Structure formats: C-alpha cells, structure tokens
Amino acid sequence: MLIIGIGLFVNLSPQPVVQQSQTILNIVILTVTAYTIVYYRFVAPRWSTAELILSSILVYTVFVFLVAHFTGSLQSVLFSLVFVPILITALMLGVQALLIVVAGEVIWLVTEFYFYFLPFHPGISDPHILLWEKLIAILLVSFVAYDNSREIFTRQSEHELLEQEKETIRLLQEREDAILQSMDDMVLSLDTNKNILIANDSFAKTLDISQNEIIGKNYDSLFTIKKTNSVGDAIETIDLTTITTKEVEDNDSKETGPTNFRLQTLNNDKQLFVTLAISNLTVDLKDKETPNDMVAPGRVIVLRDITEELQLERMKIDFVSMAAHELRTPITAIRGYLSALKEEATTSLTPEHNKFLDRADIAANQLTTLMENLLSVSRIEKGAFNLDVRKTDWVHLIGQRVEELANRAIERGLQLNWEPPKENIPEVLVDPLRVSEVFNNILSNAINYTQKGSITISVKYEPAEEIVVTSISDTGPGIPREALNHLFEKFFRVSGVLEQGSKGTGLGLYISKEIIELHKGKIWVESTFGEGTTFSFSVSTIHNLKLRKQFEQENAFRV
Ligand code: ADP
C-alpha cells in the first residue's frame, strides 16, 4: 500500500522538484518493492522479532528519508527529528497516541516554519509549497511508522503464539515421556533392522545401562528373547521384528506345555520370564493429506516381568502336589481301617452306627478322588504328566471298566448298555491306566448325574483316520448350551441343581481332556438340555505309524 501510494505520488505529482527526481525515486521504489517481496516471502518466517524490528526500521526509514529528501522536505534541518518520536509512539503506544503525536508534530512544524524557517530564508520564492511538502512527508513518515509497528506487533503476537504452542508441545512430550518412563513394564521400540529407537527407564534398569547407551543399538547385542516350555527350558530364540501377535498369543502347545518367554540380557547376564505384547508402529498421516495411513517400519514391544508370578505359581503347584502326596498315606490308612471295621464289626453295630460307617467310607473315598485329582492337575501344570503308552486291546479294557462300575449303575436304578462291537477293532496306542481314568470319570459322571433311564457305551473304529471313538450317552438332565464351552475347564461345574446335589470337584473333565490330548486324541460333548448327554473321545490305533514314532521319540512308548 505504502509503496503503491508513493509510486503514484512520485509519478503523478505536478511538483517540479518531484518530477526532477522521478527516475531516481522510481529506482528507490523498485528496490524497496523487491526488498519487501523478498523480506515477506523468504526472510520474515526465519528471522526473530528483534531482527525484524531492526531491519524494517532501517529499510523503511532510509526509504522515507530518501523520498523526503528528493521531495525537498529535508531542507528543514530539524525535519529528521520528527521521525523518531512518531516511530517510538507508534511502536510503544498504538494508533490513538500516534494520531495525537502526529497532530502535535504538524502544529510544531507549522509553527517552526513560520517562526524559524521563513524569517531566516526570506528569498524562497514559493514557501507554502515547501510547507505542504513537509506536511506530506510527515504524513508519509507517520504511515510508515504505523505500518511498521503493526507488522511488528503481528509478528510479536505470532511469535508469542508459537512460543506458547512450543511450550504446550514440550509439556505434552514431557508428560508422555513421564508416563513411558514411570511404567513398570519394559517398553521398547524397534526398527526393522532390530535397532532400538526408544527404550524406557524400566528396560534400562533391567540391562543396568543408561537409556542413551541402549538407543540406536541392535537389540541382538543387548539381549535375546527365547520361547520356553513349562519347566523353563528354552525351545527357540524368537525375532522380535518378525514374530506376529498371533504367534505370541498362541503360546500354549500340547507338546511342550504352557509356553513363556525368557529375556536373557547379555551384558549383565540376567534371566527374566516375561509376557510379550507386540504392535506395529503406525503413523497417521491423514492430517498431512496423504490418502492412506502409513505403516512405519518398526514395532513397539512391551515386556512384563512375570518371574515372581511364575515362581509363586510353581510354589503353589508344588505345595498342592506335596500336600496331596502327604495326605495320601493317612487317607489310605483310614480307608483300610474303615473297610476292616465294616467287615468285622457290622453285626455287632447298630444299624445307625453302620450308616455312620458307610458315610465315613464314602467321604474317605471322595477324599481319595480329590487327592488323586489334585495330584494329576499339579503334574499336568508342571508338564510332568508322563504317559506309558502300550498296544492295548481297547474293547477288553472298556469291558473291564464297565464291569467295575456296573454295580453303581444298578444301585442307582439305571440300565447300563454295553455291547462289544461286532467288527474287528485294532489295538490302540494308549496308556491303559490314564485312559481308564478318563473312561471311569465320564462313566461315573453319567451314573452320578442321571436320575433315571439308561447309559449306553459304544466303540467305533474309523479306518480313514485310524482312530477308535468311544461314546458314553446318558438320559440325564443334559447340559445347558452356555455351559458346554466351559465344561473342560479347571474347576468348572454346571451351576444349579446338578451342582448342589453332587460333591464333585470340577476337575475330572479337565484332567480327562488333558490326558486325551496327550494321547493326541480329541474329546467332545453333545447335549440336549432336558434329554441327555453324550461324551465322546478318540484314541489312535497302532496303525497310526507317525504317532507311534512320536511316542517312541518321547520315550512314552513301550512295546
Ligand atoms: P465333577 O463331576 O467332579 O463336578 P467334572 O469335571 O467331571 O467334575 O464335571 C464337570 C461338570 O460337568 C459337572 O459338575 C457336571 O455339572 C457336568 N457334567 C459332567 N458330566 C455330566 C453328565 N453326564 N450329565 C450332566 N452334566 C454333566
């Protein structure tokens, strides 16, 4: 605006003094125009406020003085003094004060002109034109001062805003950093080349070195992460940059028991059991007008130290196992004495005392089952549930087990249907003792939970898969649909009528499932609530050579 105004004034003014200097004034205007363009487009964004104030005052002051000089206003020696108060007022006090000062300056100039200038320069032909020129120059100076200060104020407020934003960002960063640093979990971020981008304090403490020493290093040089089996033996080293979340979560395999991860530090030789949470680094560039999210090559890994938890868990399992083991002997003794008493003293006892004796016997039996179950669970959890697999005549084995439990079914008024299959059933690969446990448990459940009706046992050979499927169906109350998925979980019992009436532990089916899975077989249940339940499980025949080899390798197979 200012430059355009001055340009028009210089080129259209009828003043001879202006016309005389038109060329030089146009050069000055063009130079300042070029400067202004460069200044606003390229320099201003990078300069500090102080630099801007100085440079703009300098350039525009020179500009105004040149214009004033060539228009003749500098013939008054005091004119230059006018510029300074105007500029200072504009910078310090704003537009209103500037107007007052400019008015004052105009009065002062007019007075100075008549009382100082004219008396000393009587020969000047057209003094009033000179006065007008001075007044125009004053207005010009005021405008420059106003424009300058406006620019500087805008610049200053932008600068303050920027500083505030910087401060907010700094505080946010500090807060985020504090959260990261105060996390108990170990957090680190890696690029695809295994280099560590970020590591938090907890991680640095585990390694006993400072965060700065960790960042930028290849993680292979600092630690390894190994998959371990249930007893803590390393199975394989994993690559944190390629392992998928699914692989981390699917860490329970039947072959090796529950899997954990072990962090092994290389500099201070620490070993920690950890859980892993892995996520890919994603940067949302939507704000930056890119069409898709960009997946930055890298990962964030959170490691939680569960060493103590695992130790506690192991201590718990060891305690249960030891307690169950120690209780076995006295319970066996109690059962022995009870059975001796029943044999010898039945006739000498009153019927009521005999009833007490029966109840004591039942309770002792239940206690034995509980102890055995607890021992089995602790063995399963320790990964120490070993099989002694043999070639077994399955139909014969099932026949024996049915015979053992037939009396209980009859006592409860249930019909027990068992017919050996007519077809030839090949021998199977099982640990007879363990699998009998499974069959007994399922058949006992069927007897216990069925009020009236029958229980049917069937055995079927499926040559395509080389398996034998055994099913036990009852006409009991059935199992509600929502309970079916939880039936094989530890301590799960169907709540309600069933649970109140019987004294189970909820461990039988869990143990059965574990035993069948150790045999590489399957166990499943079908039930219609109110109609009955069928439990089935499969075991492999001796023709399954692959499995036979596997058992041999695991030292579980005896011919
Ligand atoms: P327990 O029998 O000691 O309670 P289990 O693990 O053997 O433990 O069985 C878990 C639950 O499954 C039982 O509590 C019972 O509610 C239900 N259940 C098992 N077998 C049957 C069956 N044949 N009919 C109905 N419910 C059953």
Side-chain angles (χ1 to χ4, degrees):
M1 276 278 289
L2 170 72
I3 295 166
I4 293 170
I6 293 176
L8 288 174
F9 170 71
V10 165
N11 289 290
L12 300 177
S13 171
Q15 296 277 339
V17 67
V18 176
Q19 281 169 1
Q20 261 174 31
S21 327
Q22 217 173 31
T23 318
I24 184 96
L25 280 172
N26 274 331
I27 292 172
V28 171
I29 288 168
L30 280 175
T31 315
V32 174
T33 309
Y35 165 79
T36 308
I37 291 169
V38 172
Y39 171 80
Y40 281 107
R41 292 270 319 159
F42 305 108
V43 181
R46 277 183 276 123
W47 280 14
S48 72
T49 310
E51 284 167 332
L52 276 177
I53 293 174
L54 272 177
S55 66
S56 67
I57 287 178
L58 196 72
V59 170
Y60 288 106
T61 308
V62 171
F63 176 49
V64 166
F65 271 86
L66 280 174
V67 174
H69 170 74
F70 288 111
T71 53
S73 299
L74 271 190
Q75 286 177 30
S76 162
V77 281
L78 295 173
F79 178 77
S80 56
L81 291 177
V82 171
F83 183 74
V84 179
I86 290 176
L87 189 71
I88 291 173
T89 317
L91 280 173
M92 310 288 292
L93 303 168
V95 184
Q96 280 175 349
L98 180 72
L99 285 176
I100 296 168
V101 170
V102 170
E105 294 276 16
V106 168
I107 294 168
W108 179 78
L109 246 184
V110 173
T111 321
E112 181 254 9
F113 183 77
Y114 285 112
F115 291 100
Y116 167 75
F117 185 76
L118 274 189
F120 289 101
H121 299 81
I124 290 191
S125 57
D126 203 350
H128 285 100
I129 290 182
L130 205 60
L131 179 62
W132 276 118
E133 281 170 1
K134 286 186 183 204
L135 291 178
I136 289 169
I138 278 231
L139 289 177
L140 220 68
V141 166
S142 317
F143 188 77
V144 171
Y146 165 72
D147 197 53
N148 240 343
S149 47
R150 206 186 49 178
E151 159 66 17
I152 287 159
F153 286 142
T154 321
R155 173 75 194 181
Q156 255 175 352
S157 60
E158 274 173 10
H159 188 72
E160 267 164 30
L161 262 174
L162 216 70
E163 287 297 314
Q164 273 172 12
E165 268 179 33
K166 261 200 219 161
E167 183 62 12
T168 320
I169 291 169
R170 195 183 61 79
L171 286 174
L172 273 174
Q173 268 177 346
E174 263 180 20
R175 205 168 59 184
E176 278 170 18
D177 200 47
I179 293 171
L180 188 72
Q181 299 306 343
S182 54
M183 272 171 85
D184 279 343
D185 291 348
M186 295 169 267
V187 182
L188 73 155
S189 157
L190 301 173
D191 68 11
T192 40
N193 297 325
K194 300 186 175 183
N195 295 321
I196 299 176
L197 305 171
I198 296 169
N200 75 344
D201 198 37
S202 173
F203 193 77
K205 276 190 187 139
T206 306
L207 262 68
D208 281 336
I209 47 177
S210 74
Q211 273 164 283
N212 290 343
E213 284 175 272
I214 297 173
I215 291 166
K217 286 231 173 88
N218 192 296
Y219 90 76
D220 273 342
S221 66
L222 295 173
F223 64 90
T224 57
I225 302 264
K226 288 185 172 149
K227 239 184 189 179
T228 62
N229 60 16
S230 56
V231 276
D233 295 332
I235 307 168
E236 58 176 322
T237 305
I238 59 160
D239 182 347
L240 287 177
T241 52
T242 54
I243 189 168
T244 61
T245 318
K246 199 166 169 290
E247 281 173 89
V248 173
E249 281 164 5
D250 280 358
N251 61 0
D252 267 0
S253 76
K254 286 296 149 217
E255 285 77 30
T256 55
T259 320
N260 291 307
F261 294 97
R262 198 174 67 193
L263 168 77
Q264 168 96 47
T265 62
L266 300 178
N267 60 325
N268 56 356
D269 208 23
K270 269 191 201 166
Q271 275 196 21
L272 302 178
F273 286 94
V274 291
T275 58
L276 282 183
I278 290 183
S279 39
N280 286 325
L281 268 179
T282 51
V283 182
D284 189 357
L285 289 182
K286 265 185 198 133
D287 292 348
K288 293 169 192 150
E289 291 166 7
T290 39
N292 298 315
D293 286 1
M294 188 187 85
V295 179
R299 306 188 126 192
V300 180
I301 289 140
V302 182
L303 301 120
R304 171 167 295 171
D305 183 0
I306 53 159
T307 315
E308 266 181 37
E309 274 168 55
L310 277 188
Q311 271 166 356
L312 260 172
E313 185 68 20
R314 277 207 191 117
M315 277 165 67
K316 218 164 68 188
I317 295 171
D318 286 347
F319 173 76
V320 171
S321 147
M322 188 201 68
H325 214 270
E326 291 302 314
L327 284 170
R328 234 180 184 181
T329 326
I331 291 170
T332 316
I334 292 172
R335 284 179 65 195
Y337 288 124
L338 280 174
S339 99
L341 205 59
K342 270 173 94 176
E343 260 176 36
E344 288 170 23
T346 322
T347 43
S348 52
L349 291 176
T350 63
E352 198 174 17
H353 286 155
N354 269 321
K355 218 156 89 190
F356 291 162
L357 208 55
D358 284 341
R359 283 197 190 149
D361 194 32
I362 291 169
N365 279 340
Q366 280 172 348
L367 213 52
T368 311
T369 316
L370 176 65
M371 290 303 135
E372 292 301 332
N373 280 347
L374 286 177
L375 266 177
S376 299
V377 171
S378 61
R379 275 198 213 110
I380 289 167
E381 303 212 323
K382 274 202 276 187
F385 201 94
N386 299 323
L387 294 184
D388 185 4
V389 178
R390 289 147 196 260
K391 288 181 187 170
T392 307
D393 179 347
W394 188 243
V395 178
H396 181 67
L397 184 90
I398 295 297
Q400 279 180 332
R401 299 289 87 85
V402 174
E403 221 177 284
E404 280 163 18
L405 288 168
N407 273 345
R408 268 179 58 195
I410 294 164
E411 276 168 25
R412 286 183 54 84
L414 300 169
Q415 189 185 329
L416 195 59
N417 305 322
W418 158 242
E419 253 183 53
K422 291 187 181 66
E423 53 177 330
N424 185 30
I425 307 273
E427 285 183 305
V428 291
L429 287 171
V430 294
D431 176 335
L433 215 68
R434 301 293 189 204
V435 175
S436 294
E437 221 176 288
V438 175
F439 182 79
N440 279 356
N441 179 45
I442 296 175
L443 185 54
S444 307
N445 278 350
I447 297 170
N448 286 346
Y449 297 118
T450 306
Q451 312 297 339
K452 61 177 189 329
S454 61
I455 295 163
T456 307
I457 297 135
S458 67
V459 169
K460 215 173 131 219
Y461 170 45
E462 290 185 7
E465 291 175 66
E466 279 306 337
I467 54 171
V468 174
V469 176
T470 309
S471 301
I472 298 123
S473 310
D474 62 51
T475 54
I479 297 163
R481 182 185 287 267
E482 59 278 10
L484 284 175
N485 284 338
H486 305 283
L487 220 53
F488 297 99
E489 288 170 11
K490 217 182 337 178
F491 298 113
F492 180 82
R493 306 199 68 216
V494 178
S495 53
V497 199
L498 276 180
E499 188 190 25
Q500 288 154 18
S502 63
K503 293 191 180 56
T505 55
L507 290 174
L509 289 178
Y510 166 74
I511 296 168
S512 303
K513 179 171 177 272
E514 295 294 323
I515 293 176
I516 292 301
E517 285 181 354
L518 279 173
H519 282 87
K520 324 288 179 229
K522 285 198 184 97
I523 184 165
W524 64 98
V525 58
E526 290 149 296
S527 184
T528 313
F529 194 52
E531 286 181 21
T533 308
T534 303
F535 278 93
S536 309
F537 64 92
S538 66
V539 287
S540 292
T541 69
I542 48 162
H543 304 312
N544 186 338
L545 297 178
K546 206 172 133 204
L547 185 64
R548 203 167 143 170
K549 211 166 183 181
Q550 199 178 328
F551 281 142
E552 270 166 5
Q553 275 167 1
E554 287 170 18
N555 273 337
F557 184 61
R558 292 222 208 130
V559 187

